[in-house]
Amino acid sequence: MIGVGNALRGDDAAGLAVAERVRALAGEAVAVRVCEEEPTRLIDAFDGADIAFVVDAVSTGAPAGTVHRFDASGSPIPSLELRSSTHALGIGEALELARALGRLPRTTVVFGVEGAEFTSGARLTPAVADGVARTAATLLEEVAACTSER
Amino acid sequence: MSVRLVDGEVEDVELRIFEPPRFFEALLRGRSFREAPDITARICGICPVAYQTSAVNAIEDACGVEVTDPIRLLRRLLYCGEWIESHALHVYMLHAPDFLGYDGAVAMAREHPREVERGLGLKKAGNEILTLLGGREIHPINVRVGGFYRAPSREELRSLVEPLERAREAALETVRWTATFEFPERTIPCELVALSEAETYAIEDGRIVSDQALDIAAASYDEHFAEEHVARSNALHSRRADGSVYLCGPLARYTLGSRWLTPLGREAARSAGLDDECRDAFRSIVVRSVELVYACDEALRLIDHYDEPDAPAVDVEPRAGTGYGISEAPRGLLYHRYTLDDDGTILDAKIVPPTSQNQLAIEEDLREVVSAYSSLGDDELRDLCEQTIRNYDPCISCATHFLTLDVERV
């Protein structure tokens, strides 16, 4: 599970908050990484994984805290640019780069938590904190399902 | 970007940058001088080390402190890691697709997976330096005013040797690869400004010099350069004090300092067809590749020369005054100035990033490019303008098609 985001930009920390929660709830059962800023690091984080969950904040206009789920295993996620990025690739492009190089995990699921406030120094808004909790719960259910399938 | 052509002649070119201002200079006011490196590191996810280094240079200048040689060496090594990471990202993921006719790195990776893997491998070697010295890969947390929180052992640094030797080979291949690209002719006529340090390719500190006899300390920066706000853009524009345009970054560094590259770096440059100077904007990708060779080579040399310091940092006591700091961010000069009161509270901060410094030169170049290629259709012209902007690796060169081009043909 890879949490993506910026800890100091309000709801952009949603992916990092999910990572923290998954780490607390699942312990060593799930390998948790965080990726702040430069997303090609995702590709190295995928090494050795069959199943990957990537969680980032999104801004699509949906109500704050809405949890979007995209299965990236077979095709690109809807927007190549999950997060507006200043001078690097976006998450969607990093996933596609991994796919082109044959390094995308067999199952790759992206959760996007709808953010509302991306100001420097802001905290997670309550609705987004709630979305973080729901994302972590859903993600762990999916992990459990994958594990029992095996 | 908007362009106005009258009878095929360029009348006006404007580049507007929408990245909202983030008010870091105001944010710094009232904070402790010890917080400046950590706060300013957050300005950029690609070059946090540049921000930290210019910040500590300025604050140590204000407090009248000199760091020890091993600390200086570690700063330079950390900075080499950032150059490797940033240049690899730019050369492979952002710039090379322009030259090879791809929409972006993803499309290029499908047909050139070996090259893209090479770029990712290089980037990873830079990351490894950052992780070891900076405490983590992005936004290093180990840098402090006066030095580091913890200095690595010689043994720890030696773990970087093997990945860096591989990276140096990859960098040499990068030079050979980029040298085969086709380069539209574009000579940069303006003044070139870079840092200069005795007998080395300046990175983490130095005097500000130019090809027009400028030679000043960072403390004189404000007398020689002026920053202005232009209504159409959120990015500030810097000029020389007399109003003229200048350029900093790889072309300036190489032209002013190629003789200080390592023999391997110089040899790589020569074999790629570069002379001692390079004012050719499109060949900046080759110059960046040569700097990749240099950064790997220099990092290995620094690791070899490293002796663990007695203390990871020197003591810095605050005092009232103003300090000036500068360093060579991967994309050009980064200037910081801080005024402190006697307990170290920041009263005033000024930060001039490389993108502001190069903004005018980029616009001038776009004007020339549009003039020379005005017969192209709008789509082709937009692609060429994007490639032109990417020649300078500014903080806006992100998305594959980041540029909205409005051409008014009268």
Side-chain angles (χ1 to χ4, degrees):
Chain A
M1 184 262 148
I2 304 163
V4 183
N6 184 334
L8 300 184
R9 294 295 291 270
D11 293 337
D12 198 15
L16 309 178
V18 173
E20 210 171 285
R21 202 169 167 93
V22 168
R23 193 178 271 146
L25 293 172
E28 289 180 5
V30 179
V32 177
R33 311 264 169 85
V34 293
C35 176
E36 286 196 72
E37 309 282 350
E38 212 292 294
T40 60
R41 281 179 51 205
L42 280 177
I43 300 170
D44 289 326
F46 287 152
D47 282 349
D50 290 325
I51 305 165
F53 296 92
V54 178
V55 187
D56 196 2
V58 293
S59 179
T60 70
T66 303
V67 180
H68 309 263
R69 182 185 184 283
F70 310 102
D71 187 345
S73 315
S75 55
I77 55 176
S79 167
L80 273 181
E81 191 71 16
L82 240 193
R83 189 164 58 108
S84 76
S85 168
T86 44
H87 54 148
L89 306 180
I91 300 298
E93 281 176 296
L95 293 175
E96 290 318 300
L97 202 53
R99 192 193 312 280
L101 297 171
R103 290 171 68 179
L104 192 69
R106 193 165 37 83
T107 302
T108 302
V109 174
V110 178
F111 286 102
V113 183
E114 187 78 25
E117 176 69 61
F118 296 96
T119 315
S120 292
R123 291 175 180 278
L124 283 184
T125 50
V128 174
D130 188 51
V132 163
R134 277 183 284 116
T135 307
T138 309
L139 194 154
L140 288 172
E141 279 167 25
E142 293 201 21
V143 169
C146 292
T147 318
S148 66
E149 271 171 28
R150 288 173 153 195
Chain B
M1 174 177 161
S2 57
V3 173
R4 186 178 155 83
L5 294 161
V6 178
D7 296 332
E9 295 290 318
V10 176
E11 195 183 83
D12 203 23
V13 171
E14 284 188 353
L15 183 65
R16 292 181 290 273
I17 296 179
F18 293 108
E19 170 80 3
R22 291 188 290 169
F23 309 115
F24 269 93
E25 290 163 336
L27 189 72
L28 285 157
R29 271 181 233 138
R31 307 298 289 246
S32 160
F33 72 125
R34 296 191 201 279
E35 293 182 279
D38 284 332
I39 292 174
T40 58
R42 287 281 170 174
I43 293 175
C44 180
I46 306 292
C47 48
V49 173
Y51 281 90
Q52 291 187 318
T53 307
S54 287
V56 295
N57 284 350
I59 286 168
E60 288 159 11
D61 179 48
C63 299
V65 168
E66 292 263 345
V67 298
T68 61
D69 285 341
I71 292 172
R72 203 168 291 126
L73 180 151
L74 287 174
R75 280 187 182 160
R76 187 169 172 88
L77 179 58
L78 180 64
Y79 221 132
C80 284
E82 180 158 287
W83 272 29
I84 295 167
E85 192 191 356
S86 175
H87 278 3
L89 181 73
H90 189 264
V91 166
Y92 280 91
M93 306 300 155
L94 300 171
H95 213 188
D98 287 339
F99 289 93
L100 297 177
Y102 294 100
D103 219 18
V106 174
M108 191 176 89
R110 291 190 191 108
E111 290 173 32
H112 296 272
R114 211 167 57 91
E115 284 79 4
V116 172
E117 288 283 13
R118 191 166 67 216
L120 288 172
L122 261 164
K123 218 181 131 290
K124 194 174 177 187
N127 282 346
E128 283 177 37
I129 299 179
L130 259 68
T131 305
L132 181 62
L133 288 186
R136 56 182 182 178
E137 286 165 72
I138 300 278
H139 301 314
I141 47 172
N142 189 27
V143 172
R144 60 184 289 189
V145 173
F148 291 84
Y149 287 101
R150 178 183 167 279
S153 65
R154 273 187 64 82
E155 200 57 41
E156 283 175 285
L157 283 196
R158 268 201 294 272
S159 71
L160 296 171
V161 169
E162 206 207 318
L164 279 168
E165 283 174 345
R166 274 200 310 267
R168 185 168 59 185
E169 281 308 307
L172 286 165
E173 283 183 53
T174 307
V175 176
R176 289 192 283 270
W177 181 56
T178 55
T180 64
F181 295 172
E182 276 183 44
F183 304 99
E185 288 292 321
R186 272 304 302 140
T187 302
I188 300 301
C190 69
E191 183 175 10
L192 299 176
V193 180
L195 292 188
S196 165
E197 242 188 317
E199 299 190 12
T200 189
Y201 202 72
I203 300 178
E204 78 289 356
D205 205 353
R207 289 178 67 79
I208 304 165
V209 301
S210 84
D211 60 343
Q212 292 176 24
L214 180 75
D215 184 356
I216 57 166
S220 303
Y221 179 92
D222 293 318
E223 294 160 36
H224 295 268
F225 299 90
E227 220 184 3
E228 63 182 8
H229 183 255
V230 184
R232 66 177 178 272
S233 173
N234 284 331
L236 293 170
H237 287 50
S238 295
R239 294 177 181 276
R240 290 297 308 278
D242 65 6
S244 62
V245 180
Y246 68 100
L247 177 75
C248 57
L251 291 181
R253 287 194 293 257
Y254 182 86
T255 296
L256 293 162
S258 64
R259 66 189 179 284
W260 300 120
L261 291 168
T262 53
L264 192 67
R266 279 205 306 278
E267 178 51 36
R270 256 196 308 275
S271 64
L274 293 180
D275 296 326
D276 292 343
E277 300 187 353
C278 181
R279 288 178 162 274
D280 186 337
F282 286 93
R283 279 196 167 75
S284 65
I285 191 169
V286 184
V287 173
R288 264 181 214 100
S289 304
V290 168
E291 287 192 339
L292 272 169
V293 173
Y294 176 75
C296 294
D297 219 16
E298 177 67 358
L300 284 162
R301 187 190 70 81
L302 293 169
I303 290 168
D304 194 45
H305 281 70
Y306 176 62
D307 287 315
E308 288 171 44
D310 297 330
V314 298
D315 288 332
V316 182
E317 290 305 320
R319 69 178 193 196
T322 298
Y324 310 85
I326 198 148
S327 67
E328 284 281 4
R331 45 202 54 70
L333 293 181
L334 172 59
Y335 169 71
H336 285 219
R337 184 192 73 205
Y338 298 95
T339 301
L340 311 178
D341 74 6
D342 52 12
D343 72 354
T345 301
I346 297 169
L347 300 174
D348 181 60
K350 179 173 179 176
I351 296 172
V352 188
T355 299
S356 302
Q357 313 219 35
N358 283 341
Q359 175 88 356
L360 268 179
I362 297 173
E363 284 192 6
E364 292 267 316
D365 195 22
L366 283 168
R367 179 186 292 270
E368 296 293 322
V369 166
V370 171
S371 289
Y373 296 91
S374 62
S375 58
L376 292 177
D378 286 2
D379 285 348
E380 282 173 289
L381 192 58
R382 188 202 59 210
D383 289 349
L384 188 63
C385 288
E386 285 189 346
Q387 190 178 2
T388 298
I389 293 171
R390 272 195 276 263
N391 285 337
Y392 301 95
D393 186 15
C395 294
I396 50 163
S397 60
C398 46
T400 311
H401 291 303
F402 60 91
L403 191 66
T404 310
L405 178 67
D406 299 316
V407 183
E408 189 190 352
R409 296 173 194 264
V410 182

